[in-house]
Amino acid sequence: MSGPPTKFDPQTVWFVTGCSSGLGKAFAKKVYCAGHRVVATARNVAALSYLPDEPTVLKLSLDVTCGENILSSLTHAVNQFGRIDVVINNAGYGLMGDTEAIEEADARHQLETNFWGPARITQETLKIFREVNPRGQGGTVVQVSSMGGWMTAPGHAFYHASKFALEGFTESIAKEMNPDWNIKFLIIAPGGVRTNFAGSGLKLVPRHPAYESPTSQFSQLIEYITNPASQETWSDPDVCAQLLFDAVTGQKGRPLPTRLLMGAETIPLIKADIQQTLREIDAWSEEAVRCSPKGGAHLDL
């Protein structure tokens, strides 16, 4: 998802969602401390008091499940700064529970927040990158997914659905871009991060009696996630924010990747998942090929 070099300087405008705490807060602080302009959003603007009231800072109330609110926030940002260069779709939360026990309304809200919100923001942002920003400047969309956008754990069915959808959406839309527009995409995939994700950022529904067993994988996962000792081993949000900033601005001297992992545990877990998939492909490859009488046509995507 790389393209021509993009200029980053104090005039760069970053639009960040979900800045009240956690990674969003770390991202907003990093952008501000780097001397760039930041549009920090949260449902409650009072939660953004850690940022000073300065001309380079715009604080907005944003509920990513509201299309009108999304459009008005982006419009306000453009009116204030004349452009948007980087969008970080960070707002989201985790819905955890036995899938049979999760109400449809809760499941739909998970998808509205974690998928449809970023999708709508991305759609509106493309117009700004292409039609408002200086010609050829383009912009970068950063989707905050997780290693749960690639692999799964029990008790997170709708959370995984939202992140898998976001990653598929992003990879597809990236292939639609005219290279002349210089629009780039980055998916970040953190593992555990020391934020309030396991606290106020997590909704745990009451257990379904048929699944509630201390020996089940989900029960063991709940114990791990909610254990303060476990959380001490998770990634530092400020270090994650620095990595994101360096990757987007080209400080690492490498092209922007499709997906950027964050956290030591993400590497072996995702590699193991990929290797398992490869083994299954190989085990059933002859049968797969026989489905195409003439061997199939090669399509380069």
Side-chain angles (χ1 to χ4, degrees):
M1 295 184 185
S2 60
T6 300
K7 180 181 179 182
F8 292 93
D9 56 32
Q11 298 306 306
T12 302
V13 180
W14 300 64
F15 184 100
V16 189
T17 70
C19 296
S20 60
S21 61
L23 278 174
K25 181 177 180 179
F27 295 150
K29 288 169 61 179
K30 175 58 197 175
V31 170
Y32 170 76
C33 291
H36 294 192
R37 298 182 289 182
V38 59
V39 182
T41 74
R43 283 177 296 177
N44 182 2
V45 174
L48 305 175
S49 60
Y50 60 87
L51 289 171
D53 295 319
E54 295 183 3
T56 60
V57 177
L58 177 61
K59 306 174 189 179
L60 297 177
S61 174
L62 173 59
D63 177 355
V64 298
T65 67
C66 176
E68 292 182 358
N69 198 182
I70 288 171
L71 185 57
S72 65
S73 295
L74 290 169
T75 300
H76 193 161
V78 170
N79 289 342
Q80 179 83 7
F81 294 126
R83 59 198 276 183
I84 298 174
D85 299 288
V86 183
V87 167
I88 303 179
N89 280 313
N90 169 75
Y93 71 99
L95 175 64
M96 195 163 73
D98 304 298
T99 304
E100 281 192 64
I102 295 176
E103 299 290 340
E104 182 176 333
D106 288 334
R108 287 184 176 276
H109 191 265
Q110 176 81 125
L111 271 292
E112 283 289 337
T113 304
N114 289 11
F115 170 68
W116 279 110
R120 293 184 183 110
I121 291 171
T122 299
Q123 287 176 302
E124 295 297 334
T125 297
L126 297 180
K127 303 172 188 176
I128 297 170
F129 289 168
R130 189 178 59 246
E131 301 170 11
V132 176
N133 290 0
R135 188 175 182 84
Q137 176 70 19
T140 303
V141 177
V142 179
Q143 311 286 30
V144 180
S145 182
S146 81
M147 64 179 182
W150 184 279
M151 55 175 293
T152 63
H156 291 73
F158 293 107
Y159 174 78
H160 290 307
S162 71
K163 294 301 187 181
F164 272 55
L166 180 61
E167 295 202 12
F169 166 85
T170 303
E171 290 195 36
S172 177
I173 199 171
K175 294 175 180 178
E176 299 175 17
M177 297 297 102
N178 184 325
D180 293 340
W181 298 342
N182 197 21
I183 296 176
K184 305 173 185 178
F185 295 82
L186 172 65
I187 298 167
I188 68 167
V193 183
R194 294 197 300 273
T195 66
N196 66 346
F197 186 84
S200 61
L202 177 67
K203 180 173 182 179
L204 176 60
V205 304
R207 298 298 305 274
H208 188 293
Y211 294 86
E212 192 167 11
S213 166
T215 60
S216 72
Q217 286 187 328
F218 184 32
S219 295
Q220 295 172 23
L221 183 60
I222 294 173
E223 184 176 350
Y224 167 78
I225 290 175
T226 57
N227 186 343
S230 301
Q231 297 172 24
E232 290 178 3
T233 68
W234 296 354
S235 297
D236 183 325
D238 292 327
V239 175
C240 293
Q242 183 68 58
L243 174 57
L244 171 64
F245 185 86
D246 290 347
V248 171
T249 59
Q251 299 300 312
K252 294 296 183 181
R254 284 169 259 171
L256 200 66
T258 298
R259 184 176 286 97
L260 179 62
L261 306 186
M262 293 182 174
E265 76 277 22
T266 64
I267 298 172
L269 288 171
I270 290 180
K271 278 188 173 181
D273 187 79
I274 292 171
Q275 290 163 0
Q276 175 63 26
T277 299
L278 290 174
R279 287 192 293 269
E280 292 177 355
I281 290 173
D282 289 342
W284 289 86
S285 60
E286 291 185 10
E287 289 82 357
V289 171
R290 282 201 295 268
C291 291
S292 302
K294 297 182 179 181
H298 176 70
L299 181 61
D300 186 6
L301 295 176

